[in-house]
Amino acid sequence: MPNKPVKQRPNESHEPVSAQRARKLILEHRAWDGMRVLGHLDLSGASELYNLPENLSCESLDIRDCVNLTTLPKGLHITYWIELAGSGITSLPAGHGFVLRWRGVQVSDSIAFESQSITGQDILNVENVELRRVLIERLGYETFLQQVGGLIRDRDKDAGGERQLVYIPFEDDEPLMVLKVTCPSTGHTHILRVPPYMRSCHQAAAWIAGFTNPDDYHPLIEA
């Protein structure tokens, strides 16, 4: 009978690889257990990524928006931090020892994995601007708006009904500006974040649709 192929290639398992090559090998499903990566391993946005090799080591790891990566491998060694915003990781074992980041901000396990424990009032009491932005994202714009209220800058109507341009001011940061719209087919309310310089619902809707000049935005169905 022919010999079975060797799964792990000895040279590759012991020699460290560049971060660029590691990304390519991992996304092509050609990585091996025990892979050592030089420097920062950026796998952000890899929606096709479902797992990582066991005993992987690197200085830092970015799995931001890797929505289908739901677990970290056994023996993972990270020297500095893991960026996990928008990934499929929803929990880690107690005492895991990793430094966690969310959109570049260091966060605790409770912020990363227990967003239901956050309240709008808690967020308003946070002095760190960057952390506050992360907390708003974790809680969700719609829930945050429901809990703390907001000021209406503009309102009009489209096919779904009334639209509102709502903002929440902060003394030490730019205001949170959102467009509140209703889907005409489902009746579901959507809260969409827009830049703070928006002045009208139409301008905000145009920006969401990709128009820099709202005068060029003429949807087929709009009141």
Side-chain angles (χ1 to χ4, degrees):
M1 294 180 64
N3 294 329
K4 293 183 178 180
V6 177
K7 181 180 180 181
Q8 190 174 37
R9 289 155 285 187
N11 290 338
E12 290 182 329
S13 65
H14 290 85
E15 292 297 325
V17 299
S18 70
Q20 293 80 4
R21 182 163 182 252
R23 176 184 171 95
K24 178 178 175 63
L25 291 169
I26 290 172
L27 297 186
E28 292 178 353
H29 310 290
R30 297 192 294 119
W32 54 89
D33 292 345
M35 174 181 279
R36 291 188 296 150
V37 181
L38 297 170
H40 170 64
L41 178 56
D42 184 0
L43 297 170
S44 61
S47 58
E48 69 276 25
L49 181 65
Y50 287 83
N51 53 67
L52 294 170
E54 293 186 2
N55 299 309
L56 172 70
S57 66
C58 57
E59 290 187 2
S60 53
L61 175 65
D62 188 345
I63 52 172
R64 180 181 28 178
D65 299 325
C66 295
V67 294
N68 289 310
L69 181 64
T70 58
T71 59
L72 295 178
K74 294 179 181 178
L76 177 64
H77 177 75
I78 305 294
T79 306
Y80 298 116
W81 47 262
I82 302 176
E83 166 66 59
L84 43 68
S87 72
I89 306 295
T90 58
S91 65
L92 288 175
H96 55 75
F98 295 123
V99 175
L100 306 180
R101 284 190 177 187
W102 194 282
R103 311 271 181 225
V105 180
Q106 185 171 330
V107 297
S108 63
D109 283 40
S110 61
I111 294 174
F113 306 126
E114 300 172 17
S115 59
Q116 70 279 1
S117 67
I118 304 169
T119 69
Q121 189 58 50
D122 291 336
I123 294 173
L124 292 179
N125 293 332
V126 171
E127 294 183 357
N128 184 296
V129 171
E130 292 184 339
L131 180 58
R132 186 194 303 148
R133 292 174 181 173
V134 169
L135 289 170
I136 292 173
E137 179 186 345
R138 299 298 296 124
L139 179 62
Y141 299 128
E142 183 172 358
T143 302
F144 183 59
L145 198 64
Q146 289 172 348
Q147 292 186 3
V148 306
L151 303 174
I152 297 176
R153 171 160 289 177
D154 184 47
R155 67 175 76 205
D156 65 11
K157 290 186 177 180
D158 68 355
E162 184 180 76
R163 298 188 298 192
Q164 292 182 354
L165 185 63
V166 184
Y167 71 101
I168 300 174
F170 298 105
E171 291 183 0
D172 54 356
D173 194 17
E174 65 183 23
L176 172 68
M177 183 80 66
V178 297
L179 180 65
K180 185 177 181 181
V181 299
T182 302
C183 176
S185 57
T186 65
H188 181 72
T189 299
H190 296 277
I191 306 294
L192 307 170
R193 186 169 187 177
V194 297
Y197 57 81
M198 296 289 122
R199 291 294 178 266
S200 70
C201 295
H202 179 79
Q203 182 187 17
W207 181 87
I208 292 170
F211 290 83
T212 55
N213 185 352
D215 293 337
D216 296 332
Y217 177 59
H218 302 289
L220 295 177
I221 301 177
E222 184 180 54

